[in-house]
Amino acid sequence: MIPLFDLKRQYKELKKEILDAIDQVIQNGKVILGAQVEKLERNISSFIGVKYGIGVANGSDALVIALRAMGINKGDKVITTPYTFFATASSIVRNNAMPVFVDVDKETYNIDLNQVENILKKEKIFGIIPVHLFGQTVDLEGLLYLKEKYGIKILEDCAQSIGSEGKVNGSIRKSGSIGDAGILSFFPTKNLGTYGDGGMIVTDDEQIYETAKMLRVHGSKKKYFHETVGYNSRLDEIHAAILNVKFKYLETWTDKRISIAKKYAKFFEKEKLNLKYPKIEQKSFKYHVFHQYVVKFKDNKIRDKVRNHLNDAGIGTSIYYPVPLHLQSCFKKLGYKEGDFPISENLSKTTLALPIFPELTDEEIEKVVFEISKVLKEEQ
Ligand SMILES: Cc1ncc(COP(=O)(O)O)c(C=O)c1O
């Protein structure tokens, strides 16, 4: 069996450290919003290169709270991509605002900033939520250009991209450091994940920080005195303690993910198969942290055939995402229809995520490629 993702292999290595950290939290007796959450907020914010981190219950809440702390109002329009996880767009709706979808770029699968600009020229827009999809950084300079030229807000969805980098005016910046705010998810499968749910908002803006901190505890600065109606959305001390242990290994794990992606690319190149896989670019920074390793096939039939074959061979895969968000039934009233975003629609039908996690072995990578090549060579 080669799973898509394996929590257990990593746990074997870290078991003692993690159990000790959990034990200490319980022994201390402070299990909600204590020293571990504060430590993680410091760890993550300085890693990303911003002043503040606010630990919350999950990445989805982080998006909702961040938008609200950024000052979104009922009816505001927010541009995002339909080729992302549901929470990116639902956070806009949960704020009584309106998602405006824009198709993705056919090479990077990230939001197409040219199409974003076309909308900004015509309509009043509150802001945009760029998603650094699968771990690949959106063009940060492009985002800053739009922010400055059109005075819009930017909330970076970094749920999949912790540690990914881009270049801004010659210097290397991490995803999450150039928007008004960024959000992270610590869902178990993420590059930095806990054994449950967790999330964080990161920002340089003191007002967003203060507001988000208040919103995560029912809108109160002083206990039992409520300035606004907020949420119960806290990151638990136990999860923060686990994440503080894992944080020490994040850079090593990211390097392993990148080296696995390089190995996949090398094998695919050798086999000369009819599929598209992430190109490994020679850059001096981590433009992609490979949260997912996603390949693209000629059509839907072959994608599904490969997926079934891999399943029979004991290899885990997943489809991110089978239904683009503009075609979700809950968003019907937004008025989009099939054909509106052809690239996203095509990717939903033709891409497949292959196993990637730091502990994946060379033999396993080779086996995955070998099994894919069996199907594709039959077709060629
Ligand atoms: C792009 C993206 N945004 C937001 C989220 C939401 O994070 P969570 O699952 O922690 O609520 C996820 C996680 O699945 C995600 O992949």
Side-chain angles (χ1 to χ4, degrees):
M1 286 298 288
I2 308 176
L4 179 68
F5 173 79
D6 191 343
L7 264 186
K8 288 178 275 179
R9 293 193 205 180
Q10 188 189 73
Y11 184 56
K12 255 192 207 151
E13 307 279 315
L14 300 180
K15 189 169 177 178
K16 184 168 176 342
E17 246 187 303
I18 283 173
L19 291 183
D20 283 353
I22 294 173
D23 183 58
Q24 266 181 29
V25 170
I26 301 171
Q27 299 272 5
N28 284 345
K30 176 112 176 106
V31 293
I32 300 284
L33 294 183
Q36 289 295 333
V37 170
E38 282 172 20
K39 184 176 169 190
L40 187 72
E41 289 171 343
R42 282 195 305 274
N43 276 340
I44 301 285
S45 56
S46 69
F47 173 69
I48 289 180
V50 294
K51 285 194 200 134
Y52 309 107
I54 306 106
V56 293
N58 52 66
S60 307
D61 279 6
L63 284 160
V64 173
I65 293 172
L67 277 178
R68 198 166 148 194
M70 284 159 62
I72 197 168
N73 282 307
K74 191 173 174 185
D76 280 348
K77 291 178 176 173
V78 179
I79 299 177
T80 194
T81 139
Y83 189 55
T84 176
F85 180 62
F86 179 69
T88 312
S90 71
S91 69
I92 303 166
V93 177
R94 287 171 70 192
N95 272 296
N96 299 310
M98 197 176 136
V100 175
F101 291 119
V102 158
D103 212 349
V104 292
D105 175 88
K106 71 177 191 328
E107 298 304 321
T108 63
Y109 310 164
N110 278 330
I111 193 162
D112 181 341
L113 296 183
N114 292 321
Q115 290 188 43
V116 173
E117 185 164 20
N118 288 340
I119 294 181
L120 293 176
K121 280 179 188 161
K122 290 186 283 201
E123 285 184 58
K124 189 170 176 297
I125 297 290
F126 171 78
I128 67 177
I129 309 183
V131 183
H132 305 286
L133 195 73
F134 303 144
Q136 180 161 221
T137 319
V138 176
D139 172 12
L140 298 182
E141 265 175 7
L143 287 176
L144 276 179
Y145 158 82
L146 294 177
K147 182 170 169 52
E148 277 155 25
K149 184 157 181 197
Y150 297 95
I152 46 154
K153 304 267 187 207
I154 292 180
L155 172 57
E156 291 178 73
D157 186 336
C158 310
Q160 304 184 3
S161 73
I162 189 166
S164 86
E165 296 169 334
K167 255 199 176 155
V168 177
N169 302 327
S171 48
I172 295 166
R173 298 277 293 270
K174 289 218 163 52
S175 59
S177 71
I178 67 117
D180 296 274
I183 71 94
L184 302 168
S185 163
F186 304 124
F187 188 77
T189 57
K190 294 292 191 272
N191 288 21
L192 179 64
T194 184
Y195 304 112
D197 277 307
M200 193 172 285
I201 298 160
V202 288
T203 184
D204 252 338
D205 184 315
E206 194 178 347
Q207 197 175 343
I208 293 175
Y209 167 66
E210 293 293 346
T211 311
K213 236 171 84 160
M214 177 175 76
L215 287 171
R216 80 173 164 184
V217 284
H218 293 291
S220 76
K221 280 187 180 150
K222 195 171 148 202
K223 206 169 182 185
Y224 303 127
F225 293 82
H226 301 272
E227 300 183 20
T228 183
V229 177
Y231 313 87
N232 173 10
S233 185
R234 301 165 304 213
L235 176 65
D236 293 326
E237 275 290 283
I238 284 182
H239 289 305
I242 293 165
L243 290 163
N244 279 320
V245 169
K246 289 191 171 195
F247 176 71
K248 294 184 285 183
Y249 304 97
L250 178 62
E251 296 264 49
T252 314
W253 290 338
T254 301
D255 290 342
K256 287 213 169 127
R257 284 175 180 274
I258 295 169
S259 102
I260 290 167
K262 283 183 182 161
K263 283 173 192 160
Y264 267 127
K266 221 171 94 190
F267 287 130
F268 282 134
E269 205 169 307
K270 208 170 100 194
E271 294 287 329
K272 303 215 176 335
L273 301 174
N274 188 11
L275 91 171
K276 192 168 165 184
Y277 52 90
K279 291 278 163 297
I280 303 295
E281 293 177 37
Q282 294 303 324
K283 289 191 180 171
S284 58
F285 53 93
K286 292 174 186 162
Y287 67 95
H288 200 324
V289 294
F290 292 100
H291 171 57
Q292 298 295 349
Y293 189 84
V294 174
V295 296
K296 181 180 184 315
F297 297 92
K298 195 176 77 190
D299 57 35
N300 182 251
K301 200 178 118 240
I302 294 182
R303 191 270 308 267
D304 289 351
K305 195 170 171 189
V306 171
R307 186 171 199 216
N308 289 337
H309 175 79
L310 293 180
N311 186 43
D312 293 344
I315 296 169
T317 61
S318 190
I319 294 169
Y320 300 117
Y321 296 88
V323 182
L325 298 185
H326 65 291
L327 301 178
Q328 294 286 350
S329 42
C330 67
F331 291 147
K332 226 178 203 154
K333 63 176 181 297
L334 295 175
Y336 294 105
K337 58 183 186 321
E338 187 134 18
D340 282 346
F341 304 111
I343 300 172
S344 298
E345 289 167 24
N346 176 263
L347 293 171
S348 295
K349 293 186 184 112
T350 55
T351 60
L352 191 64
L354 304 179
I356 189 161
F357 50 92
E359 299 77 19
L360 194 69
T361 66
D362 288 2
E363 294 70 42
E364 287 173 319
I365 300 166
E366 206 171 348
K367 164 94 173 147
V368 174
V369 176
F370 174 70
E371 294 299 337
I372 294 174
S373 75
K374 267 197 204 164
V375 182
L376 293 187
K377 282 182 176 161
E378 245 172 52
E379 293 283 329
Q380 276 166 10

